[in-house]
């Protein structure tokens, strides 16, 4: 090699490429679904995967999301022809309602909102708090369903898909 100083740079570049390939294809929030953390009181809680998809997963989901989004309107349950349009205005209301629940700061809770469905994911110190959080989300207008994927404590396998470590 004519330029020995380039060897460390090339080695670092090769390591970076291999690390990216090992991590799999890049994931992103293609549909801009609201996803946020309400509290972080149990730091050992596994972080949910959230609405992050590969380009291939996005392609596969596009058709079903169109169908699910309009089925609400066709059934007469939504005034808007696409249930996903409710999500962004609904997200701050969900955040406020959950933040007001006594004891939530002792939990680690994330929220994902998709087509008026509110997914509660994370860890709570006790089952009573999980029930209070579920009730608070369910009480909001325009929430069609609440999926309480909350586990008590931080030990064991979470009931939700977990984010991969980067």
């Amino acid at each position: 090699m004519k330029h020995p100083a380039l060897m460390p740079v090339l080695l670092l570049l090769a390591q970076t490429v291999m690390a990216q390939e090992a991590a799999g294809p890049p994931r992103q929030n293609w549909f801009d679904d609201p996803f946020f953390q309400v509290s972080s009181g149990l730091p050992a809680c596994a972080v949910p995967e959230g609405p992050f998809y590969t380009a291939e997963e996005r392609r596969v989901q596009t058709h079903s999301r169109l169908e699910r989004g309009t089925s609400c309107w066709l059934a007469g349950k939504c005034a808007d022809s696409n249930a996903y349009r409710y999500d962004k205005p609904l997200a701050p209301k969900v955040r406020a309602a959950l933040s007001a629940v006594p004891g939530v700061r002792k939990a680690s809770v994330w929220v994902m909102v998709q087509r008026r469905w509110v997914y509660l994911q994370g860890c709570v110190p006790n089952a009573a708090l999980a029930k209070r959080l579920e009730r608070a989300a369910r009480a909001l207008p325009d929430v069609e369903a609440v999926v309480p994927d909350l586990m008590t404590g931080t030990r064991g396998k979470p009931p939700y898909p977990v984010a991969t470590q980067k």
Side-chain angles (χ1 to χ4, degrees):
M1 178 174 250
K2 293 183 181 181
H3 302 284
L6 285 179
M7 190 57 136
V9 173
L10 292 174
L11 183 59
L12 180 62
L13 181 62
Q15 288 173 336
T16 302
V17 168
M18 288 179 359
Q20 286 175 343
E21 286 176 1
R27 303 172 80 78
Q28 68 183 65
N29 190 351
W30 296 96
F31 303 106
D32 203 22
D33 294 325
F35 177 65
F36 54 90
Q37 188 171 13
V38 175
S39 60
S40 57
L42 293 172
C45 186
V47 177
E49 182 178 63
F52 299 95
Y53 308 104
T54 65
E56 177 60 22
E57 290 168 330
R58 172 188 162 222
R59 188 190 66 72
V60 169
Q61 281 213 13
T62 299
H63 177 73
S64 63
R65 286 176 70 101
L66 286 170
E67 253 179 19
R68 287 190 311 249
T70 56
S71 64
C72 175
W73 179 68
L74 292 171
K77 294 179 183 177
C78 297
D80 196 308
S81 63
N82 187 335
Y84 289 95
R85 287 193 202 121
Y86 287 84
D87 298 345
K88 285 187 183 171
L90 188 55
K93 296 172 188 172
V94 172
R95 181 189 297 269
L98 297 179
S99 294
V101 172
V104 72
R105 301 227 185 297
K106 295 178 182 175
S108 287
V109 178
W110 289 263
V111 175
M112 180 171 60
V113 183
Q114 291 180 328
R115 79 180 184 284
R116 300 175 49 209
W117 286 42
V118 176
Y119 295 83
L120 304 176
Q121 299 174 325
C123 307
V124 292
N126 56 63
L129 178 57
K131 290 290 183 200
R132 289 195 305 268
L133 290 166
E134 182 181 352
R135 274 195 305 271
R138 206 175 288 285
L140 293 169
D142 289 329
V143 169
E144 183 178 339
V146 176
V147 179
D149 286 338
L150 297 167
M151 62 188 283
T152 302
T154 59
R155 293 179 186 239
K157 185 180 182 325
Y160 52 85
V162 176
T164 55
Q165 299 298 323
K166 295 186 181 177

